[in-house]
Amino acid sequence: MTVAKVTEITATSTKSFQDALASGIERANKTLKNISGAWLADQEVVVEDGKITLYKVRMRVTFVLV
């Protein structure tokens, strides 16, 4: 039987949502073992002077417990 756990993380980027997602997974992989998937729970932008200055993603990451 396989048991998995889900944790929620937030990542940011000044470039794009894709970059925020990739950097979040990369960072989570340094701490969590056996990541098997992730899904976006929320996306958000920070706007200053009419321009997007920060992209934020909140994701749920699944990893398998061994």
Side-chain angles (χ1 to χ4, degrees):
M1 174 170 70
T2 302
V3 176
K5 185 171 181 171
V6 176
T7 190
E8 187 171 280
I9 64 170
T10 301
T12 61
S13 170
T14 57
K15 297 177 185 176
S16 67
F17 286 120
Q18 178 66 32
D19 188 57
L21 179 63
S23 65
I25 292 294
E26 184 178 329
R27 175 58 184 91
N29 195 50
K30 292 179 182 179
T31 306
L32 303 174
K33 305 260 191 241
N34 304 315
I35 293 177
S36 62
W39 67 95
L40 287 176
D42 194 23
Q43 298 182 97
E44 181 182 342
V45 294
V46 174
V47 177
E48 294 176 4
D49 296 324
K51 297 189 186 233
I52 296 173
T53 58
L54 192 66
Y55 297 86
K56 292 182 183 180
V57 294
R58 187 169 45 96
M59 64 185 105
R60 294 191 175 108
V61 178
T62 304
F63 57 101
V64 177
L65 301 175
V66 287

